[in-house]
Amino acid sequence: MGDFIETSKFPAIIELNVGGYSYSTSLLTLTKNGSTMLGAMFSGKFDVQKDQNGKYFIDADGEMFSHILRYLRYSELPPYSLCEKVYKDACYFGINELVEELERTPPLVGRKMRERFRSRIKGYDQFVNELIKKITNINHLGTSTPISSLRILLFEAPNNHDYPDFDVNHDCFMTQTDAAGETLTLMSQVSLGPWSVNLDEDNLMKILIQDLEERRFVCNYKINGTCHYKCIIPRALRANHRGQKMLCCPKMFYTVQFHWTKM
């Protein structure tokens, strides 16, 4: 008798106000699983707050609650594009079966994989914060175009050339010819590396763009190429360096573009 759920104090049809959204559902649906927050709320053991119109009030994301109800009614999962949002509510309501099913969907699996990679990249969070700080400062200076750009430098591994004339501590740069034919030397504005996880620069850029998009930035990136630093090896010494004529810095330059009018 101790496990008996007394629901008689509630009507068979429940009118809900969930974060300002109105829903009608059955008491049976809400109490289908007594171990969830909803099951506990409408078990008869607690007083449930009502709004001014007499609807039972639930402080949660009203828009996403429709997907919670569809799962309780039909065991139906939300569209992939909403899985991460519904996941938060599934955890909030303690619907463990839905939590477990969502954790096996591509959006949640992808997020966990990105989080795993990020956690193993030393300095990644500081790198992202510095990037955002610099690009927003650039924008606040008053740009004449709706797009702002930032050059970044990524390198999975440090320079490890053993040739004595190769300066492993050089400042990475790129050269570019402007409209007047002048050669410009461009440096990175933000850099990250090296890291120990098996992840190349291009895949790290894709993770970075996803992270920025989750923060509601609209952005894209392009590959500029490797650093332009080179060290010529004299002909007489090339045999000692696998016949190479020169040693090049492998660190990668990228440009991230932020589209302010699309946000």
Side-chain angles (χ1 to χ4, degrees):
M1 295 294 291
D3 294 329
F4 175 70
I5 298 178
E6 183 186 355
T7 59
S8 58
K9 64 182 290 186
F10 295 104
I13 303 301
I14 304 293
E15 298 294 329
L16 297 172
N17 172 354
V18 184
Y21 286 70
S22 296
Y23 291 95
S24 294
T25 188
S26 70
L27 179 62
L28 182 61
T29 295
L30 294 174
T31 58
K32 183 180 293 185
N33 186 337
S35 64
T36 68
M37 173 180 162
L38 293 170
M41 286 179 66
F42 293 94
S43 66
K45 299 178 181 178
F46 306 98
D47 291 327
V48 183
Q49 184 180 359
K50 291 184 179 182
D51 68 9
Q52 65 273 22
N53 298 314
K55 295 181 180 180
Y56 294 102
F57 179 74
I58 298 176
D59 188 14
D61 188 330
E63 186 176 4
M64 293 301 108
F65 192 73
S66 63
H67 301 287
I68 296 295
L69 280 181
R70 292 191 71 83
Y71 183 80
L72 293 176
R73 290 167 177 157
Y74 315 118
S75 298
E76 180 181 312
L77 294 179
Y80 278 172
S81 61
L82 297 177
C83 279
E84 293 189 56
K85 289 185 177 181
V86 177
Y87 177 75
K88 294 178 182 178
D89 286 287
C91 294
Y92 176 69
F93 289 117
I95 308 173
N96 295 331
E97 295 85 354
L98 177 56
V99 168
E100 292 173 2
E101 288 198 61
L102 289 173
E103 286 179 343
R104 292 192 291 269
T105 61
L108 271 297
V109 173
R111 171 181 282 275
K112 287 192 173 183
M113 292 298 292
R114 294 198 306 275
E115 289 175 350
R116 182 181 304 172
F117 282 125
R118 285 196 302 259
S119 67
R120 296 173 60 188
I121 299 174
K122 185 178 179 180
Y124 178 81
D125 289 338
Q126 295 91 326
F127 163 74
V128 174
N129 290 334
E130 183 181 1
L131 186 154
I132 292 173
K133 181 179 179 180
K134 288 198 173 185
I135 199 65
T136 51
N137 283 345
I138 289 172
N139 192 49
H140 290 159
L141 291 176
T143 178
S144 59
T145 68
I147 301 174
S148 297
S149 298
L150 198 71
R151 283 186 308 280
I152 67 175
L153 182 72
L154 300 179
F155 51 104
E156 179 183 2
N159 283 308
N160 56 3
H161 296 300
D162 57 1
Y163 183 62
D165 288 343
F166 187 95
D167 181 8
V168 295
N169 297 315
H170 68 270
D171 292 324
C172 290
F173 67 94
M174 293 185 64
T175 57
Q176 179 178 300
T177 303
D178 65 11
E182 296 290 331
T183 300
L184 305 176
T185 299
L186 306 176
M187 314 295 286
S188 67
Q189 294 163 286
V190 190
S191 63
L192 177 66
W195 52 84
S196 58
V197 61
N198 184 22
L199 185 72
D200 62 29
E201 291 88 354
D202 200 46
N203 279 313
L204 179 58
M205 277 301 304
K206 293 173 182 175
I207 290 176
L208 171 63
I209 295 299
Q210 286 179 314
D211 289 341
L212 291 172
E213 288 176 344
E214 286 182 0
R215 301 188 190 203
R216 298 297 184 265
F217 288 102
V218 178
C219 52
N220 63 284
Y221 77 94
K222 64 179 180 179
I223 303 171
N224 300 127
T226 58
C227 168
H228 287 183
Y229 175 82
K230 297 178 177 62
C231 180
I232 304 298
I233 301 177
R235 186 183 298 274
L237 300 178
R238 290 174 187 172
N240 298 329
H241 295 276
R242 299 181 296 279
Q244 297 180 86
K245 296 180 180 180
M246 67 176 65
L247 298 175
C248 302
C249 176
K251 297 180 182 180
M252 292 291 299
F253 274 94
Y254 296 82
T255 296
V256 183
Q257 292 185 317
F258 291 77
H259 302 264
W260 304 116
T261 58
K262 296 181 180 180
M263 294 182 186

